[in-house]
Amino acid sequence: MDFFQRNKSNDPLREPADKPKETNENRHAPPDALPGMTSVHYTRILGKLLDVSRAITVTTDLKKLYRSVITTARDLLSLDFSTVMVLSEDKKRLIIKDTLGFSETMIDTFSLVEGQGLSTYVAQNAVHGMVTDFNTETRFDVPPIVTAQGINSAVCVPMMLEGKVLGVLIGHTLAQRTFSEYELSLYQNIANQSAVAIQNSLHLKEQQKLTS
């Protein structure tokens, strides 16, 4: 008898007749994704990351760059507020350079100093951080705008370049939320790419000033 011609009725490797057929919608994503994430969702995330990679490598317009970064972060992490903050020249303040959710009047006008908010905490320690409930936060002073907007949770990652902090990406949610390690890693990936692109754009801007 041919070894490969098993009795199908007793074959332990045979799939049950009532087992649902695998489709693109229920196929599991790779092991580094979130538990329960489908391959469709995983592919969408990778596509978004590729999109932002292309956007930040082809544009030298800082406004377009900032908007692309915070939009991608908002969509991938399901944030209610998505903001990019950059260190001032004297390295003493973090300034909002673009935001979705907060008033656009805060762009280039709203800043935080050491001890104020999750963003300065992350920038000072050069590590990612999150807040599940601002009502119980004790590591820093919670900015009044956070309470006024009814925000409960936040996640923040540093934009690092050659071991130095350039700024931060910070996202807020109205509902209480704990961000997973996968989401933190995803956010940090966006921040790392952003840091390089922002620095290149700032350098180009300085070069243009010198030659004009």
Side-chain angles (χ1 to χ4, degrees), residues 115-181:
Q116 296 178 330
L118 177 62
S119 55
T120 64
Y121 177 85
V122 166
Q124 181 182 8
N125 294 283
V127 292
H128 63 66
M130 64 177 164
V131 175
T132 301
D133 184 359
F134 274 107
N135 292 317
T136 60
E137 183 54 58
T138 58
R139 293 171 295 177
F140 47 78
D141 294 333
V142 178
I145 187 67
V146 170
T147 305
Q149 293 287 342
I151 292 169
N152 275 291
S153 301
V155 59
C156 185
V157 290
M159 293 190 291
M160 304 286 295
L161 190 65
E162 298 179 351
K164 297 180 180 179
V165 176
L166 177 67
V168 301
L169 296 182
I170 183 165
H172 297 85
T173 61
L174 297 173
Q176 280 194 20
R177 180 173 167 187
T178 299
F179 293 85
S180 70
E181 284 299 321

Side-chain angles (χ1 to χ4, degrees), residues 69-85 96 98-102 118-119 122 129-132 134 140 146 151-158 168-175 177-179 183-184 187-188 191:
V69 168
I70 63 174
T71 299
T72 298
R74 179 197 62 184
D75 294 346
L76 289 183
L77 298 178
S78 300
L79 303 170
D80 295 310
F81 303 80
S82 182
T83 305
V84 55
M85 304 185 76
I96 288 183
D98 200 6
T99 185
L100 293 169
F102 291 115
L118 177 62
S119 55
V122 166
M130 64 177 164
V131 175
T132 301
F134 274 107
F140 47 78
V146 170
I151 292 169
N152 275 291
S153 301
V155 59
C156 185
V157 290
V168 301
L169 296 182
I170 183 165
H172 297 85
T173 61
L174 297 173
R177 180 173 167 187
T178 299
F179 293 85
E183 289 170 318
L184 286 168
Y187 207 12
Q188 189 63 65

